[in-house]
Amino acid sequence: MRAPRKKKTATSKVDKQPQVKKSATPAPKQTRKKNTSKASAVQSAQPTLVDLVREHLTGQGEPRYAAEITAALDKQHPERNVKNTVVRTTLENLVAKNQAQRTKQGSSVFYTAAEAAGAAVQDKPGDQQSAGSGR
C-alpha cells in the first residue's frame, strides 16, 4: 500500500518565485544576438534579393510581371526560396527609391529598370532649356 502524498507547503511556493526571475534574465537574448550575427555573416556572402531583382530588371529589355521575375530568380538560384510576395514587396521598394518603374495596364502591373525611365527624364530638361533660349 502506498503512503498518501504530502501537500505542498508555503516554502515550495517561495522556491518557485526565484526560478521565475532566473528565467527572465537577458542571457538568452545575448546568445541570440551572437547567433543572428553569425547567420547574417553567412547570408552576406550571397547577393541580396534586392540586388538580384535589380540586376534582373536591368538585363531585361521589356517590362516584366512580378511572377515572371520570381520564376526567373527561382530558376537562376534554386538554393534560395524565392517567394512571389517577397519579390513584389522588393519591387515596390525599388519603385519607392526610384530604382525601378511600375506600369499598370488594366489589372496587370509591369516593372522595368529605372535607367530606361531616367533617359526619358533627361530628355525633358533639354527640351525646356532650348525653349527658354529661343525667347
Side-chain angles (χ1 to χ4, degrees), residues 13 25-26 30 41 49 82 91 94 104 109-111 127 129 134:
K13 291 181 182 177
T25 58
Q30 291 175 353
L49 184 63
V82 181
L91 286 165
L94 288 173
K104 289 185 97 173
V109 181
F110 296 95
Y111 296 94
D127 294 339
Q129 288 176 355

Side-chain angles (χ1 to χ4, degrees), residues 22-34:
K22 288 180 183 178
S23 65
T25 58
K29 292 180 182 177
Q30 291 175 353
T31 57
R32 288 183 192 152
K33 288 180 182 177
K34 290 179 183 178

Side-chain angles (χ1 to χ4, degrees), residues 10-85:
T11 57
S12 64
K13 291 181 182 177
V14 173
D15 291 340
K16 289 183 180 179
Q17 288 177 353
Q19 290 176 353
V20 173
K21 290 180 182 178
K22 288 180 183 178
S23 65
T25 58
K29 292 180 182 177
Q30 291 175 353
T31 57
R32 288 183 192 152
K33 288 180 182 177
K34 290 179 183 178
N35 290 342
T36 57
S37 64
K38 289 178 184 177
S40 64
V42 171
Q43 290 176 352
S44 65
Q46 296 179 353
T48 62
L49 184 63
V50 175
D51 293 336
L52 293 174
V53 170
R54 192 181 308 125
E55 287 174 13
H56 182 76
L57 281 177
T58 55
Q60 301 299 314
E62 55 189 30
R64 296 284 181 190
Y65 291 109
E68 292 175 327
I69 296 169
T70 304
L73 291 177
D74 196 32
K75 193 173 185 180
Q76 291 174 356
H77 302 280
E79 72 279 359
R80 297 180 83 138
N81 188 12
V82 181
K83 294 188 178 184
N84 194 25
T85 55

Side-chain angles (χ1 to χ4, degrees), residues 95-117:
V95 169
K97 295 176 185 177
N98 292 326
Q99 296 177 0
Q101 184 180 10
R102 175 183 49 231
T103 307
K104 289 185 97 173
Q105 293 180 355
S107 62
S108 301
V109 181
F110 296 95
Y111 296 94
T112 56
E115 295 167 352

